[in-house]
Amino acid sequence: MRGVVLRSPGDVRVEHRDDPTITAPTDAVIRLSATCVCGSDLWPYRGIEPVTGPAPMGHEYVGVVEEVGDAVRTVRPGQFVVGSFFASDNTCEICRDGYQSSCVHRVPMGAIGSQAELLRVPLADGTLVATPDLPPADLIPGFLAASDVLGTGWFGAVAAQAGPGRTVAVVGDGAVGLLGVLAARQLGSERIIAMSRHEPRQRLAREFGATDIVTERGDEGVARIKDLTNGLGAHSVIEAVGTQESMMQAIRSTRPGGHVGYVGVSHGVELPGEELFFSHVNLHGGPAPVRRFLPELIDLIWNRRIDPGRVFDLELPLDQAAEGYRAMDERRAIKTLLTF
Amino acid sequence: MRGVVLRSPGDVRVEHRDDPTITAPTDAVIRLSATCVCGSDLWPYRGIEPVTGPAPMGHEYVGVVEEVGDAVRTVRPGQFVVGSFFASDNTCEICRDGYQSSCVHRVPMGAIGSQAELLRVPLADGTLVATPDLPPADLIPGFLAASDVLGTGWFGAVAAQAGPGRTVAVVGDGAVGLLGVLAARQLGSERIIAMSRHEPRQRLAREFGATDIVTERGDEGVARIKDLTNGLGAHSVIEAVGTQESMMQAIRSTRPGGHVGYVGVSHGVELPGEELFFSHVNLHGGPAPVRRFLPELIDLIWNRRIDPGRVFDLELPLDQAAEGYRAMDERRAIKTLLTF
């Protein structure tokens, strides 16, 4: 099969890789209907995370089940399925508490590489959720978004306790931040402030439910959020970047007793204990337990109540994956969909 | 009147101070029935927090109302009242959300100094809660504990979401940690692990409801908590120290999706963002909004359902305050009660 491989920072290639096979009775193999490039794929692409040897890339996936191991009970060949970036058994104590991305048996899908024609999915029963039927083509981008960026934005909104009567601010205007806006709206927040200085992203934020746009960053951005919230700060702040600046912007934009949901993968962040202590914020986040939300998200997409696939503003065949990475790195694209 | 003054690190004196008067129509003046020394008073005593000039000390207080300003409606002279270490209006949006210690009009009582015979309490209506009647003498230590250490331990337990079915670990065996044990028990947790290597404190922890004692600290302490929790960590961890070591011990002792309630005043703490991200813990704490809990705590003490006054293991007349500080500094006493 063909699959994306990162040979060194900046060097993305589509190469021949061996077809995956069932290696454990709990595995499934799926044929991808589409895959995509994640903002977090840019960390090794930019050399900020080390690249050790040729690395298969990608951890977002939807597709049709080709084959399942003997122990698989809940999905079967021919079904269209959505999974998340950690395979999980969905039965351990941590999974049952809703933290499947910390499952005691979790497997990171990024190490297997979903930017490929076929993908082995471990712990298929716990990981994969089937749609009611084969979806029409126009819904496939939405389901693919559910695999990570929608699920991650949703977790950010849940961790920030977005909901009726709560003003939400969103730090970060990538796909996760934009879908955090959508999630906050779905969860019932009436007022949603998107922090973005990029006009096309501002527009999409408004379409997803943002009521206010703040273009300032850092201390000025915090001051603008305070201006908009009676001097107090937002009740809920979704952090979707992962840098020191964005984390402090999120914490400082939150009122005492408010909630920060942080889902940008943390890089080089050190939180000052004393400031955090006196901030009185609730801080929660981490790798989103997307599996917790998949049944609900699939239902919303299937019934066309949300259209998260709109974050894909560049569609390329798999063979042009390198251009897909480049466009996102240069912020010419929000998110690249790869087709077969 | 007589009052405790810290002249420089280690130099505690009882001096003549001017009697307080009503300076705003929302003030009350109370005559203290007892006061006490807080673990946080030891930070300036030890020179870890700067001491700028002679500083009146103390922020914990119970007593009888002597006089109220014209605008005070809910307390009156002759009532026995309990307040907290921040005066608060109890009407602003932040107070109504239960974060009175971040009230937009808050006044730190430590700057006024409650280790004295008389105390001016700003925002009396929002700050003071009266007991049903004048209490018998043996209940006074309990009400004094409610003013800070009980309320703080209680907030730690609430922030850590202690409750039925949730295993709680407590980092720190000072008065706050011990009362965090008591709070976790009251909130319904059946299993409470106190981390302490001091035998008298272990005994009090057990009397307050601890079911397990862990004497190890740091990584070994974390490993012991994991051993006791099926390898996963506690659901709820109360942090009651405020150092880098204790914060990391608390975070690492918590299972993914679990809650850290941190109430030890943070000193020199820097939290590593990446570890926090992948820990999946919920982090909440800060200066306890004791006022939120006072009505409930007063009711529990009045009806003798809890006896938090047992954390006072040294009782001295005000004039011997210096010895009270020394005994706590040297860990010869858990907490010093000062009488008149």
Side-chain angles (χ1 to χ4, degrees):
Chain A
M1 68 171 183
R2 291 171 300 146
V4 174
V5 172
L6 183 69
R7 295 215 148 244
S8 61
D11 184 4
V12 167
R13 301 190 198 174
V14 176
E15 300 186 351
H16 175 81
R17 291 176 54 203
D18 290 340
D19 282 2
T21 55
I22 300 290
T23 59
T26 48
D27 285 351
V29 169
I30 69 171
R31 179 168 297 277
L32 282 94
S33 303
T35 183
C36 55
V37 183
C38 183
S40 68
D41 293 330
L42 297 180
W43 294 106
Y45 180 81
R46 290 169 173 163
I48 297 171
E49 278 176 13
V51 183
T52 52
M57 294 295 290
H59 51 263
E60 299 160 288
Y61 53 97
V62 292
V64 176
V65 179
E66 289 250 313
E67 190 184 358
V68 298
D70 290 344
V72 174
R73 295 286 171 271
T74 63
V75 293
R76 57 179 187 277
Q79 283 185 316
F80 184 90
V81 291
V82 187
S84 171
F85 50 87
F86 276 114
S88 53
D89 64 22
N90 211 29
T91 57
C92 77
E93 209 171 322
I94 301 300
C95 281
R96 281 182 280 132
D97 284 346
Y99 287 86
Q100 290 90 342
S101 43
S102 280
C103 170
V104 298
H105 297 119
R106 70 177 182 176
V107 180
M109 296 302 295
I112 301 177
S114 72
Q115 291 163 5
E117 290 173 291
L118 295 162
L119 177 70
R120 180 178 71 84
V121 181
L123 304 168
D125 277 337
T127 305
L128 297 172
V129 181
T131 53
D133 206 338
L134 290 179
D138 69 318
L139 289 188
I140 286 175
F143 289 121
L144 183 59
S147 177
D148 180 351
V149 280
L150 173 60
T152 296
W154 199 274
F155 176 56
V158 168
Q161 300 209 351
R166 289 177 62 95
T167 294
V168 178
V170 182
V171 179
D173 63 0
V176 170
L178 293 167
L179 290 168
V181 170
L182 179 150
R185 185 54 137 201
Q186 280 294 314
L187 291 166
S189 281
E190 301 87 2
R191 185 160 198 205
I192 302 165
I193 308 166
M195 305 186 87
S196 171
R197 50 179 64 185
H198 301 275
E199 202 276 328
R201 295 171 188 230
Q202 292 173 0
R203 197 163 52 235
L204 193 50
R206 285 200 185 275
E207 290 173 21
F208 280 157
T211 52
D212 300 78
I213 302 288
V214 164
T215 56
E216 292 85 351
R217 287 189 190 175
D219 290 348
E220 286 178 21
V222 171
R224 284 289 297 138
I225 299 291
K226 295 261 171 95
D227 286 346
L228 293 168
T229 54
N230 200 21
L232 301 175
H235 301 89
S236 301
V237 178
I238 301 171
E239 192 284 333
V241 183
T243 62
Q244 183 73 21
E245 184 188 21
S246 64
M247 279 298 282
M248 296 316 299
Q249 187 174 323
I251 291 166
R252 293 172 181 160
S253 297
T254 308
R255 69 178 57 197
H259 292 71
V260 176
Y262 67 109
V263 291
V265 181
S266 196
H267 282 79
V269 173
E270 292 278 339
L271 299 180
E274 196 164 348
E275 177 169 353
L276 198 62
F277 183 84
F278 287 100
S279 76
H280 260 155
V281 304
N282 294 265
L283 197 61
H284 186 44
V290 176
R291 178 64 183 81
R292 188 203 309 179
F293 309 112
L294 276 182
E296 178 179 5
L297 300 182
I298 287 173
D299 182 71
L300 288 169
I301 296 164
W302 184 263
N303 292 303
R304 297 180 184 275
R305 292 187 40 214
I306 59 174
D307 189 6
R310 293 171 62 204
V311 293
F312 294 106
D313 55 351
L314 179 61
E315 183 175 325
L316 294 170
L318 183 72
D319 289 337
Q320 293 177 36
E323 165 56 16
Y325 274 74
R326 242 187 330 267
M328 283 176 65
D329 180 43
E330 294 165 4
R331 285 181 77 86
R332 285 184 281 117
I334 298 173
K335 195 166 176 69
T336 305
L337 184 85
L338 299 172
T339 58
F340 299 95
Chain B
M1 67 169 183
R2 291 171 301 144
V4 174
V5 171
L6 183 68
R7 294 214 151 245
S8 61
D11 184 5
V12 168
R13 301 190 197 174
V14 176
E15 301 186 351
H16 174 82
R17 292 176 53 204
D18 290 339
D19 282 2
T21 55
I22 300 291
T23 59
T26 48
D27 285 350
V29 169
I30 68 171
R31 178 167 297 275
L32 281 94
S33 303
T35 183
C36 54
V37 183
C38 182
S40 68
D41 293 330
L42 297 180
W43 294 108
Y45 179 80
R46 291 170 172 162
I48 297 170
E49 278 176 13
V51 183
T52 52
M57 294 296 289
H59 51 263
E60 299 159 287
Y61 54 97
V62 292
V64 176
V65 179
E66 290 248 316
E67 190 184 356
V68 298
D70 291 343
V72 174
R73 295 286 171 270
T74 63
V75 292
R76 57 178 188 278
Q79 283 185 316
F80 184 90
V81 291
V82 187
S84 171
F85 51 87
F86 276 113
S88 53
D89 64 23
N90 211 27
T91 57
C92 77
E93 211 172 320
I94 301 300
C95 282
R96 281 183 279 130
D97 285 346
Y99 287 85
Q100 290 90 343
S101 42
S102 281
C103 169
V104 299
H105 296 119
R106 71 176 180 176
V107 181
M109 295 303 295
I112 301 177
S114 71
Q115 291 163 3
E117 292 173 288
L118 294 162
L119 177 69
R120 182 178 68 85
V121 181
L123 304 168
D125 277 338
T127 304
L128 297 172
V129 181
T131 53
D133 206 336
L134 291 180
D138 69 318
L139 289 188
I140 287 175
F143 289 122
L144 183 58
S147 176
D148 181 350
V149 281
L150 172 61
T152 296
W154 198 274
F155 176 56
V158 167
Q161 301 210 350
R166 290 176 64 94
T167 294
V168 178
V170 182
V171 180
D173 62 1
V176 171
L178 293 168
L179 290 167
V181 170
L182 180 150
R185 185 55 136 201
Q186 281 294 314
L187 292 165
S189 282
E190 300 88 2
R191 186 162 198 203
I192 302 164
I193 307 166
M195 304 187 88
S196 172
R197 51 177 64 186
H198 301 274
E199 203 276 329
R201 295 169 189 233
Q202 292 173 0
R203 197 164 51 232
L204 193 50
R206 285 202 186 273
E207 291 173 20
F208 281 158
T211 52
D212 301 78
I213 303 286
V214 164
T215 56
E216 293 86 350
R217 288 189 190 175
D219 290 348
E220 287 178 20
V222 171
R224 284 289 298 139
I225 299 290
K226 295 262 171 93
D227 286 347
L228 292 169
T229 53
N230 201 21
L232 301 175
H235 301 90
S236 301
V237 178
I238 300 170
E239 192 285 332
V241 183
T243 63
Q244 182 74 19
E245 184 190 19
S246 65
M247 279 299 283
M248 296 316 298
Q249 187 173 323
I251 291 166
R252 292 172 181 161
S253 297
T254 308
R255 68 179 56 198
H259 292 71
V260 176
Y262 67 109
V263 290
V265 181
S266 196
H267 282 80
V269 173
E270 292 278 339
L271 298 181
E274 197 165 345
E275 177 169 352
L276 199 63
F277 184 83
F278 287 101
S279 75
H280 260 153
V281 303
N282 294 266
L283 197 61
H284 185 44
V290 176
R291 178 64 183 82
R292 189 204 306 178
F293 309 112
L294 275 183
E296 179 180 5
L297 300 182
I298 287 173
D299 182 70
L300 289 169
I301 296 164
W302 185 263
N303 292 302
R304 298 181 184 274
R305 292 188 41 215
I306 59 175
D307 188 7
R310 292 171 62 203
V311 293
F312 294 107
D313 56 352
L314 178 62
E315 185 176 324
L316 294 170
L318 182 73
D319 288 338
Q320 294 177 35
E323 165 55 17
Y325 275 74
R326 244 188 327 268
M328 284 177 64
D329 180 42
E330 295 166 5
R331 285 180 77 84
R332 285 184 281 120
I334 298 173
K335 195 165 176 72
T336 306
L337 184 85
L338 298 173
T339 59
F340 299 96

